[in-house]
Amino acid sequence: MLLDSVIVVHIAAGLTAVVTGIVAMRVPKRPGRHPRSGRVYLGALVVVAVTASGIAAVRPRTTYLLIFGALALTSAGAGYAARRMRWHGWPRHHMAAMAISYITLLTAFYVDNGPRLPLWKLLPPITFWFLPTGIGLPLLLRALHRFPSSTRPDPTFREEAAP
């Protein structure tokens, strides 16, 4: 009964992270929706990682979900830190870390649920491990290519205000 409740919270937090991650990627990078969505994404990942710990404790065969959750949370935390601490070249660090976090989140979802999803279950199981990276990595590289790596600010990039 308690495990079922933890799984429900885990699923809700995972869906929240997926949706807010998409919102953060799609909205203009300025104060408002982008940083708000990013904070909700990070909070949802904390819940995903904590609940994954509880699930893995009861079901050791799902420990890989805990590993994915920790990797996604660590990467998102690094992306958040890059922005908040203004690391040298922080926008590129922020973009890369958040994208890696999102790809990791989706990989965990597909590895765990792909075999039970309509149409997805027709794919070879190895696909669930590599499809999110196969789609996400080229998109990340495109975004990084579009954002200059020089130390001068890009005039088209709108910097969000620190809260």
Side-chain angles (χ1 to χ4, degrees), residues 25 41 68 72 96-110 128-140:
M25 284 184 259
Y41 174 76
F68 276 120
M98 296 309 260
I100 290 166
S101 171
Y102 196 77
I103 290 167
T104 304
L105 176 73
L106 291 180
T107 301
F109 172 78
Y110 288 123
F128 308 134
W129 287 92
F130 296 105
L131 189 61
T133 302
I135 293 170
L137 186 59
L139 293 173
L140 170 59

Side-chain angles (χ1 to χ4, degrees), residues 4-155:
D4 292 338
S5 299
V6 171
I7 290 172
V8 167
V9 171
H10 182 79
I11 292 168
L15 287 172
T16 300
V18 168
V19 171
T20 56
I22 290 170
V23 170
M25 284 184 259
R26 300 296 304 156
V27 299
K29 309 308 181 252
R30 59 178 178 229
R33 289 190 297 171
H34 177 75
R36 188 171 43 248
S37 296
R39 284 189 296 273
V40 172
Y41 174 76
L42 187 58
L45 278 181
V46 168
V47 174
V48 166
V50 168
T51 55
S53 300
I55 295 167
V58 176
R59 294 182 179 165
R61 70 182 181 280
T62 63
T63 302
Y64 67 93
L65 292 176
L66 175 59
I67 294 166
F68 276 120
L71 289 172
L73 180 58
T74 300
S75 184
Y80 182 76
R83 162 63 182 95
R84 295 289 295 174
M85 295 182 193
R86 302 290 186 160
W87 294 354
H88 178 71
W90 73 263
R92 293 172 61 86
H93 291 291
H94 176 76
M95 282 190 281
M98 296 309 260
I100 290 166
S101 171
Y102 196 77
I103 290 167
T104 304
L105 176 73
L106 291 180
T107 301
F109 172 78
Y110 288 123
V111 167
D112 193 44
N113 298 295
R116 293 184 296 279
L117 296 173
L119 297 179
W120 283 89
K121 62 184 175 186
L122 301 174
L123 296 171
I126 193 78
T127 306
F128 308 134
W129 287 92
F130 296 105
L131 189 61
T133 302
I135 293 170
L137 186 59
L139 293 173
L140 170 59
L141 294 175
R142 178 176 170 254
L144 290 172
H145 178 74
R146 292 177 65 187
F147 192 86
S149 61
S150 69
T151 55
R152 63 182 170 74
D154 178 6

